[in-house]
Amino acid sequence: PPHPPTRLVGHAPGRPTGSVLPHSPSSSPLAGKARKGKRARAKWSEEATMTTIAEALSQLLGDQKQPEEEPSTPKDRADRQDFAARILASASDFHKSRPYLSPGIDIPGFTRRFCSEERFAEIAYGWSLSFNQSFFADLCYDGWLSICSYPSKVVYVLMPWIDPERCIMDFDAIHISKNVLKRSRKYTITSNQSFDGVVAKCIDQHGRSWLHEPMVALLKGLHTKGYRGGRKAMHFGVHSIELWDEKGELVAGDIGYTVGACYTSMTGFRAPGTVSAGTVQLVATCSLLRDKGYKFWDLGMVMTYKKGLGGAVLTRNQFLKRYHEVRDDGKCSLTQAKPLNAKEMIVKLRDFQRKLSGEAKASEEAKGQAPTSSSNDKVAAEDDSQTPKNMRIEKGDGKKTPVTVNESEAP
């Protein structure tokens, strides 16, 4: 990938970064206002810089809303993307400080470096200007979950990320409350029946967030045409999961992708005014995935409601180890012929958990140990919120700080 310039646009040459300007003692009562004004001027300067380079980026990249050529990006387009990346990195500290990925990069090699080198330990994101569908799928195969940002409404940027921590759901761990079981009787669950409908309702609930036009076109292309890249044996697909009420209204749903025997959620929605539809959809989805042969469910970033439902928190390397163990499993499929009753699916999952719990207790008793309580002996918290899944975590200064990937995330 191209190396960005060593200094940011607008940095005065000859003055060390962070040096103190003369005649600006911090003890002065006006020092605070001066520093505030300096920060404001820097922000205005950077915004002006982004405005002046918008035309250059547009000429280099063309209409980013149009799908890229498949299965591989032509060399001349890749070269223009790399040159545009240098311009963006010279104007944006956010992008300058994170690794740039271009089509053709050795993704497995880069992933190993990203997960082992100390300089990447607290960074979640890389970035790219390519929205090639096969490139996106190849990143997914190695464990990268990609979203889209639109800094200063100048250029669309693909944002592949691997958090320092990741949340997954094992099917025997999800909590099933009596309320969810009771309320699930009036819902049915399907897969791949209304991809456009789920995308539209996610945007209605959360705004564009990271579902900008190039990202929607990319996901829709993979959903309808599948993977057409160079990994002939890769089992990859983009899917929608839908929850319907008794009137046939779409009340909750999820957009995600499968690699081998793992399903990864990207975002979801719950219709306003519904009761427990979001939680019913989550638990029924868990049962559907288990029924279809998947090994575990990748929930993305760590969030309180996910842990409350039974999600486990893994380190970056722990997650990749489990993920890579199942990514070549080609026995799973989300193809579905007819709607399934949500309550029946949840009961099936509950019976599976009880069977495992009984076997575990019998084994412990046979060994003379005190039986441990199963995960489903706990009462699940009723957190029905569908928090936008565009929030990612990057660590800094010893604590976690949420970083929202949207128009204001970068200059």
Side-chain angles (χ1 to χ4, degrees):
H3 296 286
T6 56
R7 65 181 180 88
L8 290 178
V9 171
H11 174 66
R15 186 183 299 281
T17 302
S19 62
V20 179
L21 294 173
H23 311 298
S24 58
S26 58
S27 60
S28 167
L30 299 177
K33 292 183 178 180
R35 285 193 294 270
K36 184 176 180 181
K38 184 180 178 181
R39 286 194 297 270
R41 287 193 298 274
K43 181 176 183 294
W44 297 333
S45 175
E46 199 159 288
E47 288 178 349
T49 301
M50 290 295 287
T51 302
T52 57
I53 67 173
E55 185 176 349
L57 291 175
S58 177
Q59 291 177 357
L60 284 167
L61 299 173
D63 185 0
Q64 288 184 289
K65 297 179 182 179
Q66 296 298 318
E68 290 191 21
E69 298 87 341
E70 294 293 332
S72 60
T73 302
K75 186 178 185 306
D76 64 325
R77 181 160 188 167
D79 289 343
R80 284 185 277 114
Q81 289 172 346
D82 290 351
F83 189 73
R86 294 190 183 199
I87 296 174
L88 181 58
S90 72
S92 165
D93 191 30
F94 181 91
H95 296 93
K96 182 176 183 292
S97 63
R98 286 158 177 80
Y100 174 76
L101 291 80
S102 61
I105 188 176
D106 175 15
I107 296 175
F110 175 74
T111 303
R112 287 192 295 272
R113 293 195 302 275
F114 188 84
C115 295
S116 61
E117 295 182 11
E118 184 64 27
R119 60 188 174 125
F120 297 128
E122 308 300 333
I123 293 178
Y125 290 101
W127 61 285
S128 179
L129 294 178
S130 174
F131 286 86
N132 177 272
Q133 295 170 21
S134 299
F135 176 54
F136 171 88
D138 288 338
L139 286 168
C140 293
Y141 181 77
D142 243 63
W144 295 85
L145 198 167
S146 300
I147 55 178
C148 177
S149 67
Y150 193 24
S152 296
K153 292 183 169 50
V154 169
V155 61
Y156 294 105
V157 180
L158 188 74
M159 304 289 291
W161 65 270
I162 304 180
D163 266 348
E165 292 182 335
R166 193 87 157 226
C167 189
I168 70 162
M169 182 69 74
D170 289 306
F171 304 136
D172 62 340
I174 191 166
H175 303 325
I176 304 173
S177 72
K178 292 180 180 179
N179 282 336
V180 166
L181 188 60
K182 179 181 177 181
R183 291 168 179 165
S184 63
R185 67 182 184 277
K186 62 181 181 180
Y187 297 113
T188 55
I189 188 168
T190 61
S191 59
N192 299 320
Q193 300 301 302
S194 183
F195 182 85
D196 292 342
V198 175
V199 170
K201 287 184 178 292
C202 287
I203 294 172
D204 287 344
Q205 181 171 347
H206 306 307
R208 273 290 172 186
S209 186
W210 58 269
L211 279 172
H212 296 289
E213 288 91 339
M215 194 72 191
V216 172
L218 182 156
L219 293 173
K220 188 171 182 179
L222 286 167
H223 173 71
T224 56
K225 298 179 180 178
Y227 174 70
R228 291 170 284 166
R231 296 181 184 270
K232 300 303 181 183
M234 186 164 79
H235 306 282
F236 176 87
V238 171
H239 306 281
S240 62
I241 295 176
E242 305 90 12
L243 190 76
W244 309 85
D245 66 10
E246 296 170 307
K247 299 177 181 178
E249 297 291 330
L250 182 60
V251 294
D254 192 88
I255 295 293
Y257 58 84
T258 54
V259 175
C262 178
Y263 174 78
T264 297
S265 285
M266 300 188 74
T267 190
F269 83 96
R270 174 182 64 81
T274 56
V275 179
S276 292
T279 309
V280 169
Q281 180 254 312
L282 287 168
V283 180
T285 297
C286 195
S287 181
L288 176 66
L289 294 174
R290 189 196 72 84
D291 205 48
K292 296 296 183 181
Y294 291 91
K295 303 302 183 185
F296 69 94
W297 182 4
D298 172 21
L299 295 175
M301 76 159 291
V302 179
M303 299 182 74
T304 301
Y305 84 92
K306 298 175 186 178
K307 293 193 294 182
L309 281 169
V313 179
L314 303 182
T315 66
R316 181 182 281 167
N317 286 315
Q318 287 173 334
F319 166 76
L320 289 178
K321 183 177 185 298
R322 285 199 61 178
Y323 187 78
H324 289 179
E325 286 173 352
V326 304
R327 64 181 178 176
D328 293 319
D329 188 333
K331 300 176 184 178
C332 311
S333 174
L334 270 178
T335 302
Q336 187 178 317
K338 61 180 181 179
L340 300 170
N341 181 267
K343 183 174 183 179
E344 292 177 3
M345 295 300 296
I346 293 175
V347 168
K348 185 184 291 190
L349 180 61
R350 183 196 62 185
D351 292 344
F352 162 74
Q353 292 180 339
R354 286 178 174 177
K355 181 180 177 181
L356 285 183
S357 177
E359 291 173 353
K361 288 179 180 179
S363 176
E364 290 169 357
E365 289 172 354
K367 294 177 182 179
Q369 299 175 355
T372 57
S373 60
S374 68
S375 62
N376 212 43
D377 288 338
K378 305 173 184 178
V379 177
E382 284 294 318
D383 185 347
D384 194 31
S385 61
Q386 279 283 345
T387 306
K389 297 174 186 173
N390 63 310
M391 295 292 291
R392 301 292 177 252
I393 296 295
E394 291 192 356
K395 296 181 182 177
D397 301 326
K399 60 183 180 180
K400 292 185 179 180
T401 304
V403 179
T404 306
V405 180
N406 54 30
E407 289 77 6
S408 63
E409 62 151 357

